[in-house]
Amino acid sequence: MQLNRHPLKTLSLGFQHVLAMYAGAVIVPLIVAGNLGMSQTELTYLVGIDLLMCGVATLLQLWNNRFFGIGLPVVLGCAFQAVAPMITIGKVYGISAIYGAIIASGLFVVLLSGLFGKLIRFFPPVVTGSVVTTIGVTLIPVALTDLGGGQGAEDFGSPQNLILGFGVLIVIILINRFTRGFMRAISILLGLVLGTIAAGFMGKVNLHPVLEASWLHPIKPFYFGRPTFEPSAILTMIIVAIVSIAESTGVFMALGKIMDREITSKDLAKGYRAEGLAIMLGGIFNAFPYTTYSQNVGLIQMSRVKTRDVIVTAGGILVLLGFVPKIAAMTTIVPTSVLGGAMIAMFGMVVSSGIRMLGSSVDLNNHENLLIIACSVGMGLGVTVVPNLFHALPGEWKILTENGIVAGSFTAIILNILFNVLRRSKPTDTEEV
């Protein structure tokens, strides 16, 4: 959809993307800092530098040049699958080893990006459609948990939380039903604003983080000291980086389909290279590894705004938030239940995007294609619903199995290789199901 680009419209659309990914970005430094016993000052730095680097990483992907940047409207945030490995590395080797491993893993991605890009033949529509569907399906439980008040909330599932969450969802649906153009494009943002106002009247909005936050946040490379390089820590973070690449590939393919753009192996290589650079910068400035955020794909589907200027604005906002903590704190006043209501719509659109890819490009009369879809989506959803299924496996294996998106993606890739890549000859007739 093309809009008459008034600066306030672009700003609103960009801010909407920031709100969509903000919770996922901020929760990572909170968890890591809490588990490694960091001080409040260190936590403040970690949150600020994380937001700033999210913006820098996003802008790197948008900067489509000869060497890096896929040029798609993607938003990058810290990779959640890196949380547990970083905590383990920090407890065993110290914080400096975390950032040495992050820098090394980013360099690994940059150097091998061309090789990874050539693996596009392992991602036909049956794989990419299954991966995108899996991404959406596995994120729905996250949305419902947030709608109820958030993991571990004392008032989880309370009538107030349910009213707020479902109220936001209803507002978004009504805006999409009865409005057009710009109003429809910012339906998520309007739902979040109205939900937050309603939550304020219920006494569920806390303004103290805004009042207590400082105005300026200094940025310093190697804030936690000189990085150290431990072989086992580096290997662990390389595995995390490979997992992130697999997840990003699904997002790239989904956006390519949405924008009617064919994603080539060269495009993928540049996208991976930008992600590797972002990971290296995250290590240098003591932030985190970065990957593409699938929730923003759902937002693009909802808003129907596919232009890059909106994402450039979102990246700029994130950089600004990193330098000015008081502004960043304003986005934290949105209650979790309000955010959860909006997430249902966004993540549901990811599911519908995957289904559309499967329906338009995949022969669903072929039994083997159906089996690939069934097993990959089933594995992704199953691991999400039963996260302790693989708790007895070694740590390096759990990285590949404890994330539903990753488990589903690898299942789709392996089954496609088994049924399609290794097949010596294709059947002449369509198989009966």
Side-chain angles (χ1 to χ4, degrees):
M1 181 181 75
Q2 298 296 324
L3 295 175
N4 183 19
R5 285 294 179 216
H6 189 283
L8 287 178
K9 290 183 177 181
T10 303
L11 183 64
S12 299
L13 292 165
F15 190 65
Q16 185 173 239
H17 273 280
V18 171
L19 288 177
M21 58 78 67
Y22 189 86
V26 172
I27 194 66
V28 172
L30 294 177
I31 294 174
V32 172
N35 280 270
L36 296 181
M38 293 185 182
S39 66
Q40 185 62 42
T41 302
E42 291 172 329
L43 173 59
T44 300
Y45 175 84
L46 207 58
V47 171
I49 194 63
D50 173 43
L51 292 174
L52 188 149
M53 291 310 302
C54 284
V56 171
T58 298
L59 296 175
L60 282 175
Q61 279 290 20
L62 291 171
W63 186 9
N64 187 6
N65 55 63
R66 288 179 56 193
F67 303 104
F68 63 84
I70 197 167
L72 290 170
V74 294
V75 177
L76 276 76
C78 37
F80 196 80
Q81 57 264 32
V83 171
M86 286 191 296
I87 292 173
T88 301
I89 293 170
K91 289 182 176 179
V92 176
Y93 299 109
I95 296 176
S96 61
I98 296 176
Y99 295 109
I102 290 175
I103 293 171
S105 65
L107 180 61
F108 172 84
V109 173
V110 170
L111 293 177
L112 295 185
S113 56
L115 174 61
F116 292 143
K118 293 178 181 178
L119 300 180
I120 190 173
R121 70 190 185 95
F122 296 109
F123 293 90
V126 68
V127 172
T128 55
S130 298
V131 169
V132 173
T133 304
T134 301
I135 289 173
V137 168
T138 56
L139 289 173
I140 293 296
V142 177
L144 288 174
T145 300
D146 283 352
L147 188 149
Q151 189 72 39
E154 294 182 1
D155 62 343
F156 184 83
S158 68
Q160 283 187 329
N161 287 337
L162 297 179
I163 290 171
L164 286 172
F166 285 112
V168 169
L169 179 59
I170 291 171
V171 166
I172 292 170
I173 292 172
L174 292 177
I175 291 174
N176 278 273
R177 170 62 181 84
F178 294 107
T179 67
R180 293 290 185 271
F182 180 67
M183 288 293 290
R184 172 182 280 185
I186 62 168
S187 60
I188 298 291
L189 179 60
L190 291 175
L192 291 172
V193 170
L194 293 174
T196 302
I197 293 173
F201 285 109
M202 295 180 181
K204 296 180 73 66
V205 175
N206 181 15
L207 295 176
H208 288 296
V210 179
L211 299 175
E212 295 174 357
S214 60
W215 281 103
L216 188 61
H217 187 277
I219 302 303
K220 178 183 177 182
F222 305 121
Y223 178 85
F224 291 103
R226 184 176 61 86
T228 57
F229 300 91
E230 298 289 342
S232 61
I234 292 173
L235 179 59
T236 299
M237 294 310 297
I238 285 176
I239 294 174
V240 170
I242 293 173
V243 168
S244 297
I245 284 176
E247 188 172 346
S248 295
T249 303
V251 175
F252 294 155
M253 293 300 183
L255 280 172
K257 190 70 175 180
I258 291 172
M259 301 186 70
D260 297 319
R261 171 181 159 186
E262 182 181 355
I263 305 300
T264 65
S265 59
K266 185 177 179 181
D267 291 327
L268 288 178
K270 291 197 297 181
Y272 300 150
R273 203 169 289 127
E275 193 165 305
L277 289 172
I279 294 172
M280 291 179 67
L281 287 174
I284 291 171
F285 286 94
N286 291 167
F288 301 98
Y290 290 93
T291 187
T292 53
Y293 267 18
S294 50
Q295 50 262 55
N296 293 87
V297 177
L299 184 52
I300 290 172
Q301 281 280 79
M302 286 289 298
S303 67
R304 301 183 184 181
V305 178
K306 308 171 186 178
T307 51
R308 290 165 52 195
D309 59 335
V310 171
I311 308 301
V312 170
T313 302
I317 292 173
L318 286 167
V319 171
L320 177 63
L321 293 178
F323 279 114
V324 188
K326 191 170 286 290
I327 299 177
M330 292 180 63
T331 60
T332 66
I333 68 174
V334 180
T336 304
S337 55
V338 171
L339 194 59
M343 284 180 174
I344 291 178
M346 292 189 297
F347 296 164
M349 288 301 291
V350 177
V351 176
S352 64
S353 177
I355 293 173
R356 186 180 68 175
M357 292 171 68
L358 292 171
S360 62
S361 306
V362 179
D363 179 11
L364 297 180
N365 290 317
N366 185 300
H367 175 73
E368 293 173 348
N369 286 338
L370 291 178
L371 191 60
I372 293 171
I373 298 167
C375 291
S376 58
V377 176
M379 179 63 72
L381 180 59
V383 170
T384 302
V385 176
V386 190
N388 295 325
L389 179 64
F390 299 105
H391 76 280
L393 293 180
E396 56 270 21
W397 284 101
K398 286 196 289 186
I399 294 174
L400 301 174
T401 57
E402 64 186 2
N403 184 299
I405 296 174
V406 175
S409 299
F410 274 100
T411 301
I413 293 168
I414 292 171
L415 290 182
N416 176 67
I417 292 173
L418 176 64
F419 287 127
N420 296 324
V421 177
L422 297 181
R423 177 187 291 172
R424 295 182 179 178
S425 62
K426 295 184 178 180
T428 55
D429 298 320
T430 301
E431 297 183 32
E432 295 294 333
V433 178

